[in-house]
Amino acid sequence: MSENIKINLEETERENERFHRFSLISWWDQERLKNAKVLVIGAGALGNEILKNLALLGIGNVLIADLDKIENSNLSRSILYRAEDNGQSKAATAAARVKEIYPDMNIHFFDGNVIYDLGAGVYHWADVVLGGLDNREARLSINRNCWRVNKPWIDGAIESIDGVARVFDPNKHLDGPCYECTMSENDWKLLNKRRSCNLLTRDEMQGGKTPTTPTISSVIAGIQCQETVKLIHGLETIAGKGFNFNGLSCNSYLIEYTQNEDCMSHDPPQDIISLQKRTDEMTVAGLQTLAKEALGEGTELELGRDILEKLVCLSCGHEENVFTSLGNVRLSQGICPQCGKDREVKTFYTIRGDVPFADKTLAEIGVPKFDIVWARNGVTLIGFEFNGDAAEVLGSLYRPTKE
Ligand SMILES: [Zn+2]
Ligand SMILES: [Zn+2]
């Protein structure tokens, strides 16, 4: 027996032992879990429990995204963090600790703003997306990305000792509800209030301090991961419904959501075209040409997020071109350097016809790496995915696509 074959056999033996109890479940297929690609957004209280579960379950490929740094207040709800991690990146630390639990997991992290700096290619890459966040704007961004690339996502929300886990699956329920459909008038009011200040900074994104406990995050993340296992096995899930758990009464019940006919998130693209280019190799004009070739005259580009074009002072008329994703703008930049008054922000997310920044690359106007830029003509929608960035963004998770 050659040395290589021997090592492989030993490895298989070790894996078989590790996951033996799962194999006693009649429908369980460990191979599916090993091959699964899961994107986890948020490495807070829920994210920690989610990642711990994914590692114990033997999920093979995980990308974890978060922009926060670890604080001592996280230690009461985060199994993956230690006191000496104070000030370190949540995403990087979580990735390292998860690897200790399940060394064969292929894991990579994204340390940044998921709304503004995470390219939509990662949603396209994933089989399932898990949300462990506490803000509506990020949920809306995850939801729109997942619906566009046709991927199921499982949201978790916790407050005090209550929680909800919801499954949204465009594959199974094209005419079913998405997260946006479930948003109430009050949700929109709160969201718009947040948006109206427009210069959303990192500090403000972290502003909402929701009371939570490790026990409720464990309950809700448990349901999220169990639904993930079912999705990966092709079993029926609670797609289109929410599992609600009331901690005080210990009552749980399912809420069935319905599609909101006015919801803006339900137009699927006809195609996503893979470009072997990076966002810093393609100009706005270059992509406009490709889009026109594909969909004809009058096609417009649609970016996945608002881009800050300029800061304008209405008091003294001073203007400053910025071109960056809103996530990179500090609140202090809202003040006019000339007269000290507040400046207005000019943002855009569609590009149509001649624009003064046509010669800039997509990266230069704030389009993140490995993003998908959409081209729309009437009701026809296609995506251009910038796969030239995939290796950098996915790290060890990257597998070159076969031509
Ligand atoms: Zn919807
Ligand atoms: Zn001014």
Side-chain angles (χ1 to χ4, degrees):
M1 197 190 292
S2 88
E3 199 54 27
N4 271 347
I5 292 174
K6 205 174 143 201
I7 288 168
N8 279 340
L9 280 177
E10 278 169 7
E11 226 175 79
T12 311
E13 181 78 354
R14 204 181 61 220
E15 291 248 310
N16 285 347
E17 280 173 11
R18 184 183 189 107
F19 300 119
H20 178 251
R21 295 297 163 86
F22 301 161
S23 70
L24 302 176
I25 299 168
S26 62
W27 48 266
W28 199 274
D29 183 354
Q30 196 61 44
E31 202 59 23
R32 284 187 189 233
L33 300 184
K34 192 178 179 170
N35 293 327
K37 292 174 277 189
V38 179
L39 169 62
V40 179
I41 310 265
L46 272 176
N48 265 256
E49 287 296 313
I50 289 169
L51 289 163
K52 175 212 75 183
N53 288 337
L54 298 182
L56 293 175
L57 287 162
I59 299 289
N61 308 280
V62 173
L63 180 68
I64 162 81
D66 198 302
L67 59 70
D68 280 346
K69 301 280 180 269
I70 297 166
E71 296 169 21
N72 285 330
S73 66
N74 301 135
L75 297 178
S76 59
R77 289 157 297 123
S78 311
I79 187 72
L80 303 173
Y81 305 145
R82 308 286 174 262
E84 66 264 27
D85 300 328
N86 194 24
Q88 300 294 314
S89 148
K90 280 186 181 174
T93 308
R97 294 281 151 68
V98 163
K99 192 91 180 156
E100 288 173 10
I101 300 175
Y102 180 39
D104 291 336
M105 183 192 273
N106 211 343
I107 187 158
H108 193 61
F109 66 89
F110 174 81
D111 180 11
N113 183 309
V114 296
I115 305 171
Y116 294 107
D117 302 324
L118 183 61
V122 298
Y123 293 90
H124 198 202
W125 164 85
D127 298 320
V128 187
V129 179
L130 288 168
L133 301 146
D134 62 358
N135 84 75
R136 291 171 186 80
E137 198 177 21
R139 284 198 180 95
L140 208 49
S141 163
I142 295 170
N143 184 64
R144 285 185 176 163
N145 280 312
C146 284
W147 229 260
R148 282 272 165 98
V149 300
N150 210 23
K151 293 299 169 71
W153 83 280
I154 307 178
D155 181 40
I158 50 175
E159 185 163 358
S160 72
I161 62 168
D162 305 327
V164 56
R166 302 179 268 207
V167 180
F168 301 104
D169 189 353
N171 279 303
K172 284 235 164 107
H173 295 266
L174 256 189
D175 55 348
C178 74
Y179 167 72
E180 192 172 337
C181 295
T182 72
M183 282 178 63
S184 66
E185 227 168 274
N186 192 43
D187 285 327
W188 280 110
K189 214 188 271 171
L190 289 167
L191 182 70
N192 289 330
K193 201 168 148 195
R194 249 179 114 91
R195 279 179 171 169
S196 65
C197 96
N198 228 341
L199 277 186
L200 269 181
T201 66
R202 278 162 190 255
D203 317 339
E204 275 172 290
M205 294 293 287
Q206 295 172 339
K209 301 251 185 279
T210 313
T212 61
T213 63
T215 45
I216 190 61
S217 54
S218 169
V219 171
I220 297 303
I223 299 290
Q224 287 181 276
C225 292
Q226 203 155 280
E227 290 299 297
T228 303
V229 168
K230 287 154 67 181
L231 268 174
I232 292 168
H233 280 83
L235 296 173
E236 200 61 42
T237 67
I238 58 163
K241 301 189 185 86
F243 168 85
N244 283 256
F245 179 77
N246 181 305
L248 279 180
S249 65
C250 257
N251 275 326
S252 69
Y253 55 96
L254 286 177
I255 286 189
E256 191 157 354
Y257 303 114
T258 47
Q259 189 176 112
N260 174 359
E261 277 172 31
D262 300 326
C263 181
M264 303 291 282
S265 289
H266 296 260
D267 51 347
Q270 256 133 9
D271 202 7
I272 295 175
I273 295 160
S274 169
L275 300 174
Q276 295 308 314
K277 279 197 181 308
R278 303 190 307 257
T279 51
D280 64 3
E281 288 176 325
M282 173 75 79
T283 61
V284 171
L287 188 59
Q288 281 183 308
T289 306
L290 283 183
K292 203 165 86 180
E293 279 167 16
L295 297 183
E297 212 62 57
T299 299
E300 61 178 39
L301 299 178
E302 217 176 272
L303 306 174
R305 57 197 67 65
D306 287 333
I307 296 288
L308 175 64
E309 183 179 2
K310 56 175 103 176
L311 292 160
V312 181
C313 178
L314 297 180
S315 305
C316 74
H318 180 264
E319 278 192 24
E320 184 189 350
N321 285 332
V322 184
F323 288 112
T324 184
S325 77
L326 267 181
N328 295 327
V329 186
R330 303 274 77 82
L331 203 56
S332 59
Q333 285 176 265
I335 295 165
C336 177
Q338 209 156 278
C339 73
K341 294 262 167 58
D342 283 349
R343 294 196 285 185
E344 296 259 306
V345 294
K346 297 275 177 232
T347 61
F348 68 93
Y349 74 93
T350 55
I351 301 172
R352 194 182 332 200
D354 291 330
V355 286
F357 50 87
D359 292 338
K360 287 188 185 288
T361 66
L362 294 167
E364 281 169 336
I365 64 162
V367 173
K369 292 188 167 87
F370 195 27
D371 202 17
I372 301 173
V373 178
W374 307 96
R376 182 191 290 281
N377 197 335
V379 291
T380 315
L381 182 74
I382 59 167
F384 290 99
E385 183 176 64
F386 286 85
N387 275 298
D389 295 315
E392 189 185 332
V393 173
L394 293 174
S396 58
L397 296 164
Y398 175 70
R399 301 280 174 279
T401 44
K402 293 181 195 88
E403 286 300 316

